[in-house]
Amino acid sequence: MTSSGSLNPESDSFENRPVFYIGQHDSARTEVLTDEQYAQLLDSGFRFVTAPITNKHFFDRVVELLRSHHKEREQWSQQRGLTATQLVNPSLPGPVVPTLTDKDTSLFPSNYIGSLAVYFSPWIDLCSPDPHISSVSRQVLNLEAAYANFCGARTIIVPGPRQDDSSRGIAQYARAIREAMHVANRANIIIHMPMYREPGLEEKVETLSSIFIPNNGPEAEARKEIDLFSAWDSWNTIRSVCNYSMRLFIALRIPRRVPEKALQERWFAEPLHYLTISNETFQLNRAGHPSLSRHHQDLINRYMRLRSVPWLILADVGPRPEELVALADQTVGEFPTLAEADHALKERRRLHKPALHAHVGYMRYLERQQPPFSAMETPTLTSFQDWLQPPLQPLADNLESATYEVFEGDPVKYDQYEKAITEAMVEWRELKKPTSTATPANPSSPELVVTVAGAGRGPLVSRVLRAAEITGTPIQIWALEKNQDAYVYLLRKNKAEWGNEVTLVKTDMRGWEGPRLKGQEDVIGKVDILVTELLGSFGDNELSPECLDGIQHHLARPHGISIPHSYTAHLSPISTPRLFADISSRVVGDPNAFETPWVVRLFALDYVAQKVPGHGRFQQAWEFVHPVEVSHADDFAEVHGKAAKYVTGGVGSMAGASGTNEHNARHCHLTFVCPTRGVIHGLAGFFESVLYASQTGTGKEPVEISILPDQIDRKSKDMISWFPIFFPLKKPLYFPQDTELEVSMWRQTDDTKVWYEWLIEVYAWIAPSARIKVGATDLHSSRKVACLM
């Protein structure tokens, strides 16, 4: 269940669409735009621009520094007869980049610095195998980071590594980024990465390595076979070294050819800040205007559904700085007043106002063509994306009225419950089942005894009464509720809406004595239909099995009906960097954060497993069926209800408890197949429930609800009462391609509480009948935050 906010789809308008925030980047730009140039770009439809931190003067100065250093070292080595190996000895002094001067930059603090995305120098090479070049590049990075931070920039874009095949180079790069984040301690750092290394879209700007090291250009990389996941691998190393900092983001370069869905989803799960689209990615349509393929449009539409919508940067689409009109100030005197200067500026902008940029115009067209927000994309529901919530403990805590109101805002769930109750009543009559109100004097009494256990504010009671009216079924109805405050609400509702037809009992359902039937008050009767609303995001995580164990002995045997009839828990391993970063930030205040099963509307994630024969992407962990089939139900319930109060030490059951709840313990071992390499941050948990299965034997479809991603639209479309549950990992688990993830999970109990334990192992095949273990997690346990019985 969710726990806050109004989730009623009818309360929000869905005719809106995500907004495109479009910026401009020129890879050849070496100077910050003037105020007039910036204004003209804004007039042509762009909302922001990138700005280089340093200029060509600084570049020339750094190149000359390295060239002089190399020349001095060569002369020094020749005089001493040293070899080339000795020449590059890292113990010898290297070049030191002097501080910036006003000639090295045109970036200065301004009132609009916050609207600029400042860009680090693209010519540095933090991955260079030459220690002096990598050192100089790191110095330049820190100088620029410090200066941008001083100027007030809050978004700094760093060109990503040019190649992915050097683990040493990527490690150097990652370490330098981590250092720069300490230097620019108030800014977000955005790494500009390609989706994959597409030939022909390599960076064109020369680097220090390409200047000083022969055959070190992008051509060598372009000749190699394309590894679709190599760029993501490099990014994974960078953010891991930076400890998943919440100030580290991605600017993702969209390729000309959209890759396979698996790679798209991998990047979808990452912290995207920008999507950059270069001029080469656009195609000209028949009219000669820029356009994008349908695959590109689908990708952008998908990414724009994120809660933090990525901004768009159009790269190298023009206009170039020299193409912007230089507006001479000839209309005012040498010392104009502020009013005269403002009027002159507006007049010049009116006369020289540029038309809407062609690429911007096309992107605005795509913005309008996006599918409108659906019923599941209201602002309220969107705000729940990847927002961690601790699971409810309805047995231990009394819920507030606002929380009940959230649950009641989902018509789909209650429609399915009403459908299940209706079918149960209809089939009861068709099968001529005896009712619990039957007596020797009236053996064919038609009145059904219906009990709603855990009634809350009464939505299920209303549905039972409606089902009885629709089917013409006479009933005696009981409603049980342990929350004394909700009980007061039910008393009022019984008078105002239900005509005092409902017998209300304030009690924990496990301690209820049973129904005292009308006209037979001295006799404790049985229940024909038991209706409960105890399911959690994992089915059993809010202790539905334990609650129903304590009341099932009141159910008439063998014909009594429990709604729900059964429920199953399901798992899938996922990559969700945002949640891992979020939980990491909570550990200081909550040491159990990584061993807490969180309720969360999972959105920015990647399901790393694939569906193959015998192994699904979502797999069933276990099942609970009600009522529990035991030989002596009454004796069982009595023991179950009392034993936990008088626990004595023992050796044959969990934690020395009496073992009365051992039948509700579960264990599963699941195998997931992962054809591509990746990293997982935890397990996503879901549930399905059969509310009522037809007993007529006619093959009628059962009435079900589900939150499984591949089943919810078929079984309970647009149901919003439950978000998935997330079992996190303390450390991300990396796995190579063509591996199998072995997931073990336990539902544990000691008769006073219930908790989960989980473990994941990685196996790689080395032969058709042999595999080796290449990784594993610690055993995680939620015992310290267990659900109290």
Side-chain angles (χ1 to χ4, degrees):
M1 295 180 177
T2 53
S3 60
S4 62
S6 173
L7 300 185
N8 187 352
E10 298 179 359
S11 64
D12 294 303
S13 173
F14 318 133
E15 290 306 315
N16 296 322
R17 295 169 174 83
V19 176
F20 286 7
Y21 202 75
I22 304 171
Q24 190 248 27
H25 172 66
D26 187 344
S27 60
R29 184 183 298 147
T30 59
E31 298 286 349
V32 178
L33 296 178
T34 65
D35 290 352
E36 288 185 346
Q37 291 173 328
Y38 183 49
Q40 290 181 69
L41 275 178
L42 295 181
D43 289 341
S44 66
F46 293 103
R47 302 289 298 275
F48 67 97
V49 298
T50 62
I53 301 174
T54 56
N55 55 24
K56 190 174 186 303
H57 181 274
F58 182 63
F59 168 71
D60 292 338
R61 194 154 65 91
V62 172
V63 170
E64 183 57 33
L65 173 69
L66 272 172
R67 185 171 285 120
S68 299
H69 177 76
H70 282 191
K71 185 176 181 180
E72 291 175 3
R73 299 303 295 271
E74 288 176 0
Q75 293 175 349
W76 183 80
S77 63
Q78 289 173 1
Q79 293 172 358
R80 290 161 177 77
L82 298 178
T83 64
T85 303
Q86 293 170 316
L87 177 62
V88 295
N89 186 343
S91 298
L92 298 175
V96 176
V97 180
T99 187
L100 297 177
T101 69
D102 60 337
K103 296 181 179 180
D104 295 324
T105 181
S106 53
L107 179 72
F108 297 99
S110 65
N111 57 359
Y112 59 84
I113 187 71
S115 65
L116 297 177
V118 300
Y119 207 93
F120 278 96
S121 294
W123 41 264
I124 62 175
D125 187 0
L126 299 167
C127 301
S128 177
D130 185 303
H132 298 311
I133 292 178
S134 62
S135 173
V136 166
S137 297
R138 184 176 57 81
Q139 293 176 57
V140 170
L141 183 77
N142 288 337
L143 282 172
E144 293 187 343
Y147 184 69
N149 196 59
F150 162 78
C151 289
R154 293 297 172 259
T155 302
I156 308 177
I157 304 176
V158 188
R162 298 285 184 99
Q163 299 179 9
D164 305 310
D165 59 347
S166 170
S167 58
R168 172 187 171 183
I170 299 300
Q172 286 180 181
Y173 182 99
R175 188 255 171 220
I177 294 298
R178 178 169 175 170
E179 185 178 37
M181 295 188 71
H182 288 294
V183 174
N185 55 11
R186 294 188 297 275
N188 292 327
I189 302 296
I190 291 90
I191 310 298
H192 198 182
M193 296 288 297
M195 184 171 270
Y196 67 96
R197 300 293 176 182
E198 183 178 29
L201 284 189
E202 299 88 358
E203 295 282 353
K204 303 298 189 299
V205 178
E206 63 179 354
T207 66
L208 297 178
S209 293
S210 64
I211 295 173
F212 291 99
I213 303 177
N215 301 321
N216 197 69
E219 297 79 10
E221 180 75 5
R223 289 192 297 268
K224 297 180 180 179
E225 182 180 352
I226 299 175
D227 180 353
L228 287 179
F229 286 84
S230 65
W232 175 86
D233 249 339
S234 296
W235 158 249
N236 184 53
T237 299
I238 296 165
R239 57 97 173 276
S240 298
V241 170
C242 295
N243 293 325
Y244 282 76
S245 171
M246 299 187 76
R247 292 193 295 118
L248 186 66
F249 296 87
I250 277 284
L252 187 63
R253 194 160 70 238
I254 305 302
R256 283 181 300 193
R257 184 172 181 177
V258 177
E260 61 187 43
K261 194 72 173 178
L263 185 59
Q264 295 181 43
E265 292 302 298
R266 181 66 53 82
W267 284 114
F268 180 79
E270 301 296 344
L272 299 175
H273 197 291
Y274 296 117
L275 300 179
T276 67
I277 310 173
S278 67
N279 189 47
E280 292 92 340
T281 302
F282 286 92
Q283 305 170 353
L284 295 180
N285 59 21
R286 293 180 180 178
H289 301 301
S291 64
L292 293 172
S293 72
R294 170 55 62 185
H295 295 299
H296 286 93
Q297 296 175 38
D298 291 343
L299 183 147
I300 292 172
N301 288 343
R302 166 75 168 145
Y303 284 10
M304 298 302 286
R305 252 46 189 188
L306 290 163
R307 180 176 65 177
S308 299
V309 178
W311 293 4
L312 302 173
I313 294 180
L314 306 185
D316 299 326
V317 298
R320 301 287 296 276
E322 60 270 18
E323 297 171 346
L324 295 171
V325 179
L327 304 178
D329 189 357
Q330 301 292 337
T331 58
V332 295
E334 185 176 0
F335 301 105
T337 65
L338 290 177
E340 291 173 337
D342 181 65
H343 175 75
L345 178 61
K346 291 180 179 178
E347 185 65 15
R348 290 199 307 273
R349 292 181 65 181
R350 184 185 67 81
L351 295 174
H352 298 279
K353 182 178 178 66
L356 183 67
H357 192 279
H359 290 78
V360 175
Y362 175 73
M363 296 307 295
R364 292 298 175 205
Y365 165 77
L366 288 189
E367 180 183 39
R368 297 190 297 271
Q369 295 303 308
Q370 293 178 99
F373 288 129
S374 69
M376 300 298 290
E377 294 177 307
T378 66
T380 300
L381 282 174
T382 300
S383 70
F384 279 99
Q385 286 182 13
D386 301 313
W387 182 54
L388 297 167
Q389 305 173 75
L392 295 176
Q393 294 223 25
L395 281 184
D397 304 324
N398 285 331
L399 304 182
E400 298 178 354
S401 179
T403 305
Y404 286 119
E405 187 176 358
V406 171
F407 303 153
E408 296 166 13
D410 184 0
V412 177
K413 172 180 65 176
Y414 293 108
D415 287 347
Q416 289 297 95
Y417 262 96
E418 182 178 328
K419 182 180 179 182
I421 297 165
T422 301
E423 289 193 12
M425 290 180 174
V426 170
E427 289 192 0
W428 195 287
R429 183 183 304 128
E430 290 178 359
L431 296 174
K432 296 183 169 62
K433 292 183 179 181
T435 66
S436 294
T437 56
T439 64
N442 186 14
S444 59
S445 172
E447 279 191 316
L448 285 176
V449 179
V450 182
T451 297
V452 178
R457 300 200 316 176
L460 281 180
V461 176
S462 298
R463 296 294 181 136
V464 169
L465 293 171
R466 185 185 303 178
E469 181 181 358
I470 292 172
T471 61
T473 304
I475 62 171
Q476 293 187 28
I477 180 171
W478 272 258
L480 317 181
E481 178 53 52
K482 73 175 182 64
N483 185 340
Q484 62 184 15
D485 305 309
Y487 176 71
V488 174
Y489 187 94
L490 289 172
L491 289 171
R492 185 169 182 269
K493 196 167 187 177
N494 196 22
K495 295 177 182 178
E497 297 183 23
W498 300 331
N500 288 320
E501 291 184 38
V502 183
T503 302
L504 301 175
V505 183
K506 182 194 166 297
T507 182
D508 186 313
M509 67 182 73
R510 296 169 295 179
W512 183 41
E513 65 174 0
R516 291 186 177 272
L517 304 180
K518 294 177 181 178
Q520 309 174 52
E521 283 75 8
D522 57 336
V523 178
I524 303 298
K526 292 292 184 180
V527 175
D528 295 318
I529 299 178
L530 174 64
V531 184
T532 57
E533 188 182 2
L534 305 169
L535 299 173
S537 298
F538 204 44
D540 56 79
N541 61 294
E542 293 185 10
L543 306 190
S544 176
E546 285 71 22
C547 291
L548 291 177
D549 279 351
I551 194 175
Q552 72 162 11
H553 64 289
H554 294 305
L555 203 59
R557 299 300 179 101
H559 48 269
I561 295 172
S562 171
I563 298 176
H565 167 65
S566 65
Y567 37 92
T568 53
H570 301 257
L571 291 169
S572 184
I574 61 172
S575 174
T576 173
R578 294 170 186 259
L579 291 186
F580 180 83
D582 190 352
I583 296 174
S584 298
S585 68
R586 299 172 182 239
V587 170
V588 174
D590 181 6
N592 298 315
F594 274 113
E595 294 188 295
T596 298
W598 297 92
V599 173
V600 56
R601 188 185 179 210
L602 297 170
F603 196 81
L605 80 161
D606 178 25
Y607 294 106
V608 299
Q610 296 295 321
K611 182 179 181 180
V612 299
H615 301 285
R617 170 172 278 185
F618 307 98
Q619 298 184 31
Q620 181 176 318
W622 48 67
E623 180 181 26
F624 287 90
V625 179
H626 299 288
V628 176
E629 296 300 330
V630 292
S631 56
H632 302 286
D634 293 338
D635 295 340
F636 167 83
E638 184 177 355
V639 171
H640 180 81
K642 296 179 180 179
K645 301 178 182 178
Y646 307 103
V647 176
T648 58
V651 294
S653 57
M654 182 66 193
S658 61
T660 57
N661 198 39
E662 282 298 295
H663 66 289
N664 285 325
R666 293 289 189 275
H667 168 247
C668 70
H669 186 85
L670 309 173
T671 301
F672 295 90
V673 177
C674 302
T676 60
R677 64 186 181 272
V679 64
I680 58 173
H681 302 94
L683 299 168
F686 312 90
F687 85 92
E688 289 192 306
S689 175
V690 175
L691 297 179
Y692 180 73
S694 176
Q695 300 177 3
T696 60
T698 58
K700 189 175 181 180
E701 287 285 329
V703 181
E704 298 178 90
I705 54 176
S706 173
I707 65 169
L708 265 177
D710 61 349
Q711 296 293 327
I712 185 171
D713 285 349
R714 184 175 70 86
K715 297 182 178 181
S716 45
K717 183 176 174 59
D718 293 339
M719 186 175 67
I720 56 176
S721 286
W722 293 273
F723 295 154
I725 198 166
F726 177 59
F727 299 93
L729 299 180
K730 297 175 185 176
K731 296 180 181 178
L733 180 62
Y734 184 89
F735 56 90
Q737 67 183 31
D738 297 324
T739 53
E740 293 182 344
L741 302 180
E742 302 280 351
V743 174
S744 297
M745 178 170 277
W746 296 262
R747 186 183 196 264
Q748 301 282 43
T749 177
D750 64 359
D751 295 345
T752 63
K753 55 185 177 292
V754 172
W755 68 95
Y756 299 94
E757 297 178 357
W758 58 99
L759 169 72
I760 306 177
E761 302 166 284
V762 183
Y763 289 89
W765 288 95
I766 58 174
S769 59
R771 60 179 192 165
I772 59 173
K773 185 174 178 179
V774 296
T777 68
D778 294 337
L779 177 66
H780 296 66
S781 174
S782 64
R783 186 167 189 170
K784 293 182 179 179
V785 290
C787 296
L788 302 177
M789 294 169 58

